[in-house]
Amino acid sequence: MELTLNEKKLLAVLAPLKSAGPALLAEKLGTKEESVIQWGHLLEDRGLATVERVVTTRHHLTPEGTGYAGQGLPERQLLNSFTESVPMAELNRHPLAKIAIGQMRKKGWVAIRDGIVIKTGNDEPGPDERALQDLSGSGEGVEELRKRGLVTCDETVTYSLAVTSAGEEMASRGLDLREEAGTLTRDQILSGEWKSIPLRRYDVKKLPKKIVPGKVHPYQRLIDEMRQILLEMGFTEIYGGLVQSAFWNFDALFQPQDHPAREMQDTFYLGEKIAVPQGFEKVRDMHEHGGTTTSTGWGGRWSREKAEQCVLRTHTTCLSIQHLAANKTPPVKAFCINRVYRREAIDPTHLPEFEQLEGIVMDEGVTFRHLLGFLKEFYKRMGFEEVRFRPGYFPYTEPSVEPEVYVEGLGWVEMGGAGIFRQEVTAPWGIEYPVLAWGLGVSRIAMLQMGLKDLRMLYRSDIEWIRETPAWRPGELSCGGGR
Amino acid sequence: MAVISLSYRYLEKLVGTDRQTIISRLPMIGSDIERTEEDHVDVEFFPSRPDLFSVEGAARAMRGFLGIETGLPRYRVTPSGTSFSIDPGLASIRPYLGSAVIRNVSFDEESIQSLMSLQEALHWAVGRGRSKVAIGVHDMDAVTGPFRYIAAPRDRSFVPLDYDREMTMEEILAEHPKGKAYAHIVDTFPYFPLIVDARDRVLSFPPIINGELTRVTTSTKNILLDTTGTDEKAVMTAVNIICTALAETGASIECVDIGGKSIPTLEPTERLVSVKECSDLLGIGLTPVEMSETLKKMRYGAEPAGDGMIRVDVPCYRADILHDWDIFEDVAIAYGYENVDACISSTFAIGRAHPVQIIGGITREIMAGMGFIEVLPFTLTSERVQYTNMQRPPSGSALKVLSPITEDHTHVRTSILPLLLETCQTNRHRELPQRIFAVGDVIENLETFQKTACAGMHPGADFSEAYATADALCRELSIPYTVQVSGDGAYIEGRRGEIVCNGTVIGTFGEIHPAVLNAFDLEHPVAAVELDLRAVPGYPGRQDTP
């Protein structure tokens, strides 16, 4: 049993006295009564002392009550103001009439007949009048005065401490009353004093004050883990502008100029213009008639004006094609995880901006089979062991594939899209080898991994949620990758 | 997306096998099963395959895919004897016309509904909401050929579908539900497109509405089809898809003479493709015979043509075959994606993180080390949050979204700090101190680059705290900086500073102005810093597109 120094001091003083009030003990210990009571309770918890709580009630006359104590209650004063009988009208003129007449009748001192108030002779002083002179007796008299607001009562709590036999025994064995050190000082450490001073002991059952560490956002951490996976797989990271010309965002990816996804309805357009780059003619030709490939193109006239409109990029694929146009020598393995925009109204599963992950592999001899291989490997490292593939459709890939991963409790879940860039996309830039490409919405993975029902949680940061979300969450990506 | 309802009874009859087999294999030809009901299944097909937007078309493809009937479906076309003329005045309005006569149709309510839904799906996927192509079907027996496609005065009148009185075309655009819905396609034209018969009776006002005269009912036996539009290829595609779908039900197709050409022919397009190119793309080794057989499962005509080439007949209803690789994808689909032996290529490359992301990561480490919690606000914001609330003049280089969805998202951010204050606002009820930061993209003058900002909100947050944070941030990022007095209205005068590097202001710090705190409903002082990360040595220069 480890007593604090204060408990030991109290026990040492209390033991010879057997029992005492806190005032005396406080005086002897040079402390406050409240401290004595607090330490006493600690001793009580250990069975070394008892703390008895005594409540005493004391009554006082109110100022009004004090006045009546000298002159009698109003009804007594009124009764004494006339002899046998008096007309009501006359009695009413007495200053105490209002409160007193009712009381006289209630107590049966008077009767009223035909407007005349007549004494009954039955006017012995009741318990209330006796209590008015002496409050010490309790009972109905005091209670009545209290109801009439002539008496108030105070409750006083007093304590009495007593040592138990276990306490006496401990005190008789001797108590170490040396002062305890809370904080070790430099002097104590250097001088060796630490060897002889008792250090205050702490209760490990008591929880510490909560520290909230500074931290990276849980979603950013997930993004960084995915970046790490792709870097480990030998991919180079790319980064580029949020604002793109429609040329790079759509035309270079062989999205026909009348494609519904290009409409204002789905895409954020800006008033600015960005000139088409050198070599745009090959993209134009590709749209109009398929250029020098086996493609027929989309036909019709390609508008340069439409291509020079500015948009907030709707995917990061516009960065991939620009990276390839600038890096035509194989091999190229590149990725990015960045924000993209869709003109969507906000709801729990749709946001106007979110992160997209995109990976590309360009090399001599890469095939559709390798694309599926990369997808399997990538999803496996992300913690999804089971992956399957279905045909898909994306305007800039052929063949196209929709990967699905198996998620416990949800079944097969669609997870992004992939394919090989169409020749209509690569040929204008002189890219001679197949480009395997895949992309996925990162927020979808975040929802799965963090068990979120509402995407908005990721961006409208609730500080409490970030504070409470541990940096390391076993079972998520970081662990999944290693399984 | 086009979701097509396929009734089991009809589908089983047309495919020739049970519904379980069909439903289990449908996704592997390229579709999403939306929901399965008691008597039908709703399937979403890709917009590139409008030929699958009818039960007949889907069944035709599934018969091939399941090996029940393979190879090119052939459709006989005989002359109808009727013809169409096209008014040259339509050249700048809606120049192209396709047509066909379809005889011996047997309609019930269900099959009329099916034809209408194919028509609607085509209007969406091929017709771009009727602007590119619009389709009309008419009871052939109510009218007499030859027919004329003319540019008519806007006040010409006829009785439109669902009405019992004559209306001028202008009235139709103003009053008829279809007129109001599609008026935007034609209302700037001096004349309107109109289809009339030999007796000048109105069949249709394309792309808006047909006449009541030629309404198709369950007693209709023969159909006249018209497709009009601005793109010849798309106009013909629509004809081919509708004719072949109805031919699948036993109707006979007759061609119409349009300007000397017989339309439709329903003839396939021939392509010569390389077996090696296909094998190299897919990574699947196929012999010419194997490849031909796979293609037949996708309803192509295919024969080895020697020299490692295959002669492929592409069905007339396939609008999506632009390039040889489109055919190779069908080889992969017929082969079965599940049968492809996935394996990673040996492509060797060394991974490298982007310097912008490396600097961003280090910034996060520094800020978290100083006790700040990261938040990820949107990049879309408003003039109110970015400038008005901040007592800052609107930036001339800020980007405005042309068609914002909400008034909260009208601008792309040039500064992150306002979004941190907005985050503090949404977290007002949360425990203090609140120390938050963000690292992310901003745009000025069309250039995307990164900034970081932090804000500490608690009683006692002051200039010294902001200065100390800015100093630590710059020191840790190796930015050689000096400080000068700032005039930024977001901060309290006398408690604000500018971070300067090589003569350029690269950041601000200080105690947020009480009026700004009021604007964000904040009740405690905030010490804040914002820094342009382009000032970090090693941050890449502006990248121009190639």
Side-chain angles (χ1 to χ4, degrees):
Chain A
M1 197 185 315
E2 288 295 343
L3 274 62
T4 62
L5 180 62
N6 287 330
E7 288 174 72
K8 287 190 279 191
K9 281 180 175 171
L10 174 59
L11 188 59
V13 174
L14 181 62
L17 296 172
K18 306 281 186 204
S19 75
L24 175 64
L25 294 166
E27 193 193 324
K28 281 179 177 285
L29 289 167
T31 186
K32 289 185 280 186
E33 288 188 38
E34 301 88 81
S35 305
V36 169
I37 294 161
Q38 188 194 342
W39 303 339
H41 281 303
L42 292 172
L43 285 176
E44 188 172 39
D45 291 345
R46 303 178 195 275
L48 302 173
T50 57
V51 180
E52 200 190 343
R53 185 171 182 268
V54 184
V55 183
T56 32
T57 312
R58 288 189 54 203
H59 295 99
H60 305 275
L61 290 172
T62 60
E64 191 187 359
T66 311
Y68 297 149
Q71 302 173 15
L73 286 172
E75 58 268 31
R76 181 62 67 188
Q77 291 183 43
L78 190 66
L79 190 75
N80 293 343
S81 71
F82 63 96
T83 47
E84 287 307 309
S85 65
V86 64
M88 188 62 154
E90 191 186 321
L91 192 61
N92 263 336
R93 285 198 288 274
H94 193 280
L96 291 172
K98 229 177 193 161
I99 29 177
I101 293 175
Q103 287 290 347
M104 288 196 306
R105 289 185 66 185
K106 200 171 131 199
K107 289 182 172 176
W109 294 351
V110 296
I112 301 167
R113 242 172 266 126
D114 304 327
I116 307 293
V117 181
I118 308 157
K119 286 188 180 178
T120 59
N122 188 12
D123 55 4
E124 285 300 302
D128 53 346
E129 287 183 285
R130 288 197 295 276
L132 194 63
Q133 299 310 320
D134 174 13
L135 286 171
S136 63
S138 59
E140 52 169 336
V142 177
E143 182 55 22
E144 291 211 352
L145 294 179
R146 198 188 59 76
K147 280 187 195 156
R148 289 177 69 174
L150 305 178
V151 162
T152 57
C153 62
D154 286 343
E155 280 193 351
T156 14
V157 178
T158 55
Y159 290 88
S160 166
L161 285 77
V163 69
T164 64
S165 54
E168 272 184 299
E169 196 190 317
M170 178 174 279
S172 70
R173 282 205 306 267
L175 294 161
D176 181 355
L177 298 177
R178 285 177 303 166
E179 279 302 319
E180 286 178 332
T183 313
L184 262 180
T185 64
R186 179 173 180 271
D187 281 349
Q188 288 163 343
I189 294 166
L190 292 179
S191 67
E193 196 192 339
W194 59 269
K195 292 175 194 161
S196 56
I197 50 167
L199 286 173
R200 182 183 308 143
R201 308 177 77 96
Y202 289 95
D203 182 0
V204 296
K205 296 277 163 53
K206 236 170 101 182
L207 289 176
K209 185 170 166 271
K210 199 175 201 173
I211 294 175
V212 182
K215 58 169 105 172
V216 169
H217 194 284
Y219 183 40
Q220 181 63 42
R221 195 175 293 280
L222 186 82
I223 289 171
D224 284 339
E225 283 161 3
M226 291 186 196
R227 293 179 55 239
Q228 189 59 33
I229 288 171
L230 285 153
L231 289 169
E232 284 169 7
M233 287 174 76
F235 285 77
T236 289
E237 187 169 32
I238 51 184
Y239 173 82
L242 298 175
V243 179
Q244 297 284 336
S245 60
F247 180 84
W248 284 118
N249 195 74
F250 295 122
D251 294 287
L253 296 167
F254 199 54
Q255 288 247 35
Q257 291 196 319
D258 66 352
H259 195 280
R262 294 182 70 145
E263 280 168 22
M264 282 258 184
Q265 195 87 349
D266 296 318
T267 299
F268 286 118
Y269 278 86
L270 308 162
E272 286 71 7
K273 299 260 179 252
I274 297 181
V276 291
Q278 275 199 345
F280 80 92
E281 297 88 348
K282 289 187 173 165
V283 171
R284 176 199 63 202
D285 292 352
M286 198 56 78
H287 279 252
E288 291 188 349
H289 53 75
T292 54
T293 67
T294 62
S295 178
T296 59
W298 295 114
R301 291 264 304 133
W302 181 84
S303 151
R304 178 171 172 168
E305 204 173 299
K306 274 191 176 176
E308 290 184 339
Q309 287 177 308
C310 257
V311 301
L312 292 176
R313 67 183 178 210
T314 61
H315 46 199
T316 45
T317 318
C318 53
L319 302 183
S320 298
I321 187 60
Q322 287 173 71
H323 182 72
L324 286 166
N327 299 273
K328 294 169 198 172
T329 320
V332 171
K333 283 166 79 175
F335 82 97
C336 71
I337 303 179
N338 266 313
R339 209 163 273 195
V340 299
Y341 300 80
R342 300 284 162 86
R343 195 172 172 279
E344 305 236 39
I346 295 183
D347 69 31
T349 55
H350 294 93
L351 295 178
E353 48 180 299
F354 53 93
E355 270 69 26
Q356 191 180 43
L357 178 154
E358 166 125 347
I360 49 170
V361 178
M362 185 267 274
D363 198 8
E364 195 174 349
V366 294
T367 69
F368 183 62
R369 195 178 148 206
H370 297 130
L371 172 65
L372 302 191
F374 271 108
L375 288 169
K376 270 202 163 160
E377 179 66 23
F378 172 71
Y379 283 115
K380 189 174 157 189
R381 286 177 187 241
M382 302 262 289
F384 301 107
E385 287 289 332
E386 286 185 82
V387 186
R388 70 179 190 187
F389 304 107
R390 286 196 298 125
Y393 169 72
F394 309 101
Y396 38 88
T397 54
E398 194 74 24
S400 305
V401 51
E402 280 183 7
E404 292 179 325
V405 298
Y406 191 79
V407 179
E408 210 51 57
L410 289 178
W412 291 101
V413 177
E414 228 178 273
M415 193 60 84
I420 300 180
F421 274 173
R422 299 183 68 99
Q423 271 192 341
E424 289 96 328
V425 174
T426 53
W429 311 106
I431 299 156
E432 292 175 13
Y433 301 103
V435 179
L436 315 181
W438 73 94
L440 66 135
V442 176
S443 49
R444 205 180 161 83
I445 298 209
M447 284 178 95
L448 282 177
Q449 304 262 12
M450 299 183 193
L452 296 181
K453 298 259 180 309
D454 191 335
L455 267 180
R456 289 173 287 195
M457 279 297 280
L458 298 177
Y459 301 92
R460 290 225 178 120
S461 302
D462 176 352
I463 287 176
E464 206 53 30
W465 178 70
I466 306 173
R467 282 173 175 162
E468 295 298 327
T469 305
W472 173 255
R473 293 178 307 270
E476 276 185 21
L477 259 202
S478 29
C479 289
R483 270 202 297 263
Chain B
M1 284 289 160
V3 177
I4 311 296
S5 282
L6 306 175
S7 108
Y8 294 133
R9 192 179 48 77
Y10 196 33
L11 188 65
E12 285 177 335
K13 186 179 137 203
L14 288 178
V15 178
T17 187
D18 63 284
R19 65 189 70 170
Q20 269 70 36
T21 310
I22 300 170
I23 292 173
S24 71
R25 296 298 293 159
L26 257 175
M28 295 312 288
I29 199 171
S31 69
D32 287 315
I33 307 276
E34 287 289 302
R35 66 193 78 79
T36 48
E37 302 286 348
E38 203 159 294
D39 60 340
H40 72 275
V41 57
D42 289 334
V43 185
E44 181 186 325
F45 290 104
F46 299 136
S48 57
R49 291 294 304 271
D51 59 296
L52 301 177
F53 293 175
S54 65
V55 191
E56 295 83 6
R60 176 174 58 205
M62 285 311 287
R63 285 202 301 277
F65 193 57
L66 296 170
I68 295 167
E69 176 194 87
T70 62
L72 184 77
R74 296 213 173 261
Y75 302 102
R76 219 167 81 87
V77 181
T78 54
S80 66
T82 193
S83 65
F84 251 106
S85 65
I86 302 180
D87 184 338
L90 288 161
S92 59
I93 295 178
R94 200 170 176 85
Y96 301 106
L97 171 79
S99 181
V101 173
I102 303 151
R103 295 205 183 270
N104 305 320
V105 293
S106 51
F107 278 139
D108 54 21
E109 288 301 337
E110 195 182 4
S111 51
I112 289 186
Q113 203 46 52
S114 169
L115 178 62
M116 296 301 150
S117 63
L118 170 61
Q119 198 181 339
E120 278 318 302
L122 291 175
H123 277 153
W124 170 78
V126 182
R128 302 280 189 251
R130 300 195 186 187
S131 65
K132 198 173 177 183
V133 182
I135 302 158
V137 288
H138 309 276
D139 187 335
M140 176 80 179
D141 301 321
V143 283
T144 324
F147 303 97
R148 291 183 300 133
Y149 177 37
I150 58 171
R154 295 165 60 118
D155 58 0
R156 173 145 183 195
S157 58
F158 66 96
V159 181
L161 266 183
D162 302 325
Y163 275 67
D164 54 9
R165 63 180 172 92
E166 286 210 346
M167 295 166 87
T168 70
M169 291 193 275
E170 280 182 331
E171 280 170 355
I172 290 172
L173 296 190
E175 293 170 35
H176 197 285
K178 297 288 178 197
K180 286 191 272 191
Y182 299 101
H184 62 275
I185 303 173
V186 293
D187 59 10
T188 58
F189 297 138
Y191 295 93
F192 286 156
L194 198 70
I195 294 173
V196 294
D197 79 345
R199 289 164 52 193
D200 216 27
R201 292 176 297 186
V202 173
L203 282 74
S204 176
F205 167 22
I208 311 296
I209 188 82
N210 281 355
E212 182 64 33
L213 175 68
T214 55
R215 176 189 282 277
V216 171
T217 66
T218 48
S219 53
T220 300
K221 290 283 165 272
N222 303 301
I223 284 179
L224 177 72
L225 174 71
D226 80 76
T227 65
T228 59
T230 55
D231 180 299
E232 188 171 16
K233 196 165 120 186
V235 163
M236 294 310 160
T237 297
V239 173
N240 292 345
I241 288 173
I242 290 185
C243 287
T244 57
L246 289 173
E248 290 287 333
T249 66
S252 40
I253 311 299
E254 295 177 359
C255 57
V256 175
D257 181 292
I258 303 178
K261 277 203 277 184
S262 290
I263 288 172
T265 67
L266 304 186
E267 284 296 319
T269 314
E270 191 181 292
R271 265 184 186 262
L272 207 57
V273 301
S274 154
V275 179
K276 180 171 184 304
E277 191 185 348
C278 177
S279 295
D280 286 350
L281 181 71
L282 301 181
I284 304 167
L286 291 172
T287 64
V289 172
E290 285 167 344
M291 184 167 156
S292 301
E293 290 312 306
T294 350
L295 282 170
K296 286 178 188 164
K297 284 176 77 179
M298 300 304 282
R299 307 308 310 261
Y300 294 92
E303 290 299 332
D307 281 343
M309 302 301 279
I310 295 190
R311 183 176 298 108
V312 180
D313 282 331
V314 181
C316 64
Y317 52 78
R318 288 294 297 265
D320 60 319
I321 307 299
L322 302 180
H323 186 277
D324 290 354
W325 287 14
D326 292 307
I327 295 175
F328 301 158
E329 179 181 62
D330 273 356
V331 172
I333 291 172
Y335 183 85
Y337 279 20
E338 68 277 27
N339 299 321
V340 176
D341 178 23
C343 88
I344 205 159
S345 80
S346 57
T347 302
F348 176 79
I350 292 171
R352 200 157 37 88
H354 195 279
V356 166
Q357 304 291 13
I358 295 174
I359 289 168
I362 287 166
T363 306
R364 288 189 181 94
E365 196 182 301
I366 297 165
M367 299 306 288
M370 289 196 282
F372 290 90
I373 284 180
E374 187 182 18
V375 296
L376 297 169
F378 279 145
T379 56
L380 289 171
T381 177
S382 64
E383 185 167 302
R384 182 180 59 81
V385 168
Q386 279 281 306
Y387 308 110
T388 319
N389 282 6
M390 296 296 284
Q391 306 196 109
R392 286 173 171 171
S395 162
S397 58
L399 289 180
K400 279 184 210 166
V401 173
L402 283 185
S403 48
I405 292 188
T406 72
E407 57 184 23
D408 298 332
H409 292 158
T410 53
H411 284 61
V412 186
R413 69 188 182 191
T414 52
S415 168
I416 295 178
L417 182 56
L419 296 150
L420 294 187
L421 297 179
E422 203 181 24
T423 304
C424 287
Q425 184 179 19
T426 58
N427 283 282
R428 263 175 312 173
H429 53 297
R430 298 301 189 194
E431 204 177 320
L432 296 179
Q434 286 180 14
R435 295 180 211 277
I436 56 174
F437 80 98
V439 180
D441 288 341
V442 298
I443 304 187
E444 278 175 20
N445 298 316
L446 289 182
E447 184 191 2
T448 301
F449 60 96
Q450 297 223 306
K451 281 188 177 178
T452 186
C454 65
M457 178 170 73
H458 57 100
D462 62 7
F463 176 79
S464 309
E465 179 180 322
Y467 198 170
T469 307
D471 171 61
L473 185 60
C474 290
R475 277 187 289 113
E476 293 296 327
L477 287 171
S478 296
I479 300 173
Y481 77 99
T482 55
V483 163
Q484 66 191 32
V485 168
S486 158
D488 187 340
Y491 302 99
I492 299 171
E493 195 188 347
R495 299 183 175 199
R496 56 192 178 185
E498 280 175 352
I499 310 169
V500 181
C501 178
N502 297 327
T504 309
V505 175
I506 57 160
T508 56
F509 62 89
E511 242 178 274
I512 297 294
H513 197 284
V516 175
L517 297 178
N518 286 341
F520 284 103
D521 297 328
L522 301 178
E523 298 170 1
H524 297 279
V526 173
V529 181
E530 179 147 28
L531 182 70
D532 183 339
L533 291 177
R534 287 177 299 183
V536 179
Y539 191 98
R542 183 167 187 170
Q543 288 163 319
D544 286 317
T545 51

